[in-house]
Amino acid sequence: MKREYTTKDIVIGERSRKRVRWMRRLLLPLVRLLSLLPTSFTVRFQARLAGHLPDRCKMLDVDYDVLGDSPAIVLGDLSRNDQPVVLYLHGGAFLMPAMPKAHLRFHATLCQELEALGVMPDYRLAPLHAFPAALDDCETAYRSLLERGFAAEKIVVAGESAGGNLVLGLLQRIRAAGLPMPCCAVPISAVTEMARVYAPPSRVDNQNKEAMLPVTSFPNMVKGYVAEGNGANPELSPLYADYTDFPPLYFLVGEDEVLLDDTLLASRQARRAGVEVELDVWPVLPHAFPLLDMWFPEARQAARDIIGFARQHLRSGS
């Protein structure tokens, strides 16, 4: 495949490079093993990861509330509907709940810097709930924000990995329903192809570079989330979506990820549809690296880049 991109000009220190090598040796086999365990174990693992929400994060109050007919983790006071809001769709292979030390911390960083409120849908998880349950819950959260009086041009939508997939699926739902689009969206290390586990090509080409996601774990993700559905449905595989009238998109991905081409091809499709697209391909750092700044201090620049992109479009939207 002809890959047309420029790697982000940033120096990755030796300590971070060593941590990536450590992840490749130790974390990758562990994820591979977890993907082979039965459904009953997955559900118990979900229960162990869920909860443990702090009362505050990054100086923002944290609550668990119901929006419409779906719950969500809320940062700040949603009665203040004159404020911007970051709707964050967490990743985890459609199997794992939001993790406070990663998802909530990153979400709160975005909200704090943007002086925004935050909503993170606690969407239903596979394997007990297959597509379209998770996407339905994300749509419910977006509709609820509009119903509460939040202006669409003050809503930023972002998400990593499976959450990046849901970001692009949600934008399709918003357009189909004739709802106003958010001011911008940020898919991070998004999985955009759910019909094939061996393609796009980087899933094979980068197997020996990938530090977090073994391709051998993808069949369980697809079976759990797609179930009996058609994996080529654009809401499942946004690679095949029509991007016409989407808001500005900012794609981030690591150069060594097996999901590199998922992002490159999706960003290409969006550009062809006339969407304003920014793309950053980072060297060395692993899957969903903007959430891992406690391990990789260089990733703090990614958060700053996302904040700058969102701030620009919140300002122009207002």
Side-chain angles (χ1 to χ4, degrees):
M1 173 182 165
K2 184 179 180 181
R3 299 186 176 96
E4 298 176 350
Y5 66 86
T6 301
T7 305
K8 187 173 181 66
D9 183 15
I10 189 166
V11 176
I12 307 299
E14 184 56 31
R15 178 174 293 182
S16 291
R17 291 174 181 272
K18 286 180 180 177
R19 284 175 174 162
V20 171
R21 292 194 290 269
W22 171 84
M23 290 175 68
R24 195 175 293 126
R25 287 195 298 268
L26 299 180
L27 182 60
L28 204 63
L30 177 60
V31 175
R32 188 179 293 118
L33 175 62
L34 291 173
S35 72
L36 301 175
L37 295 172
T39 297
S40 58
F41 179 89
T42 301
V43 173
R44 289 199 300 272
F45 195 50
Q46 289 171 349
R48 291 181 67 88
L49 286 177
H52 308 295
L53 292 176
D55 292 332
R56 290 175 69 79
C57 187
K58 300 278 184 176
M59 306 300 292
L60 293 167
D61 290 335
V62 179
D63 196 11
Y64 188 85
D65 203 354
V66 176
L67 280 68
D69 59 2
S70 182
I73 300 168
V74 176
L75 295 170
D77 180 4
L78 287 188
S79 68
R80 300 175 60 193
N81 61 10
D82 59 331
Q83 298 291 105
V85 58
V86 178
L87 179 63
Y88 193 84
L89 313 181
H90 70 82
F94 306 101
L95 296 166
M96 296 295 113
M99 291 177 279
K101 290 184 179 179
H103 299 115
L104 184 62
R105 183 172 169 273
F106 180 68
H107 189 193
T109 296
L110 301 183
C111 292
Q112 184 182 47
E113 293 299 322
L114 293 170
E115 298 181 353
L117 309 175
V119 170
M120 188 185 304
D122 186 12
Y123 58 79
R124 286 167 288 174
L125 299 170
L128 297 184
H129 299 282
F131 174 84
L135 187 54
D136 287 347
D137 292 344
C138 295
E139 181 183 359
T140 292
Y142 188 80
R143 286 178 177 272
S144 180
L145 289 173
L146 297 180
E147 290 164 3
R148 288 170 180 247
F150 287 93
E153 61 266 24
K154 288 191 174 183
I155 300 175
V156 176
V157 181
E160 100 290 346
S161 193
N165 175 290
L166 292 169
V167 166
L168 297 171
L170 176 60
L171 296 179
Q172 296 175 66
R173 288 283 185 92
I174 292 169
R175 183 183 57 200
L179 299 172
M181 284 285 184
C183 74
C184 62
V186 184
I188 303 165
S189 296
V191 53
T192 66
E193 159 68 278
M194 296 287 284
R196 299 161 182 81
V197 298
Y198 57 86
S202 63
R203 295 191 182 181
V204 174
D205 296 348
N206 281 357
Q207 280 188 89
N208 294 328
K209 300 177 184 177
E210 173 65 51
M212 190 180 294
L213 293 181
V215 174
T216 53
S217 70
F218 283 29
N220 270 12
M221 175 182 69
V222 171
K223 283 191 293 184
Y225 184 60
V226 177
E228 302 302 318
N230 174 12
N233 177 342
E235 288 189 354
L236 277 164
S237 293
L239 182 59
Y240 309 117
D242 174 9
Y243 288 78
T244 303
D245 296 327
F246 274 23
L249 299 174
Y250 179 24
F251 291 90
L252 296 93
V253 70
E255 187 174 30
D256 293 341
E257 291 192 52
V258 293
L259 294 180
L260 170 64
D261 288 344
D262 284 62
T263 284
L264 295 182
L265 290 169
S267 64
R268 182 191 294 176
Q269 293 286 77
R271 282 199 177 101
R272 286 172 175 169
V275 176
E276 179 184 335
V277 172
E278 291 190 27
L279 167 67
D280 271 344
V281 179
W282 276 61
V284 181
L285 298 189
H287 178 69
F289 58 87
L291 281 71
L292 304 176
D293 64 340
M294 68 291 287
W295 290 353
F296 306 104
E298 299 88 350
R300 292 169 194 155
Q301 181 59 50
R304 289 193 287 269
D305 293 341
I306 293 168
I307 290 160
F309 174 82
R311 186 175 286 134
Q312 171 194 345
H313 292 287
L314 282 168
R315 192 176 296 127
S316 62
S318 63

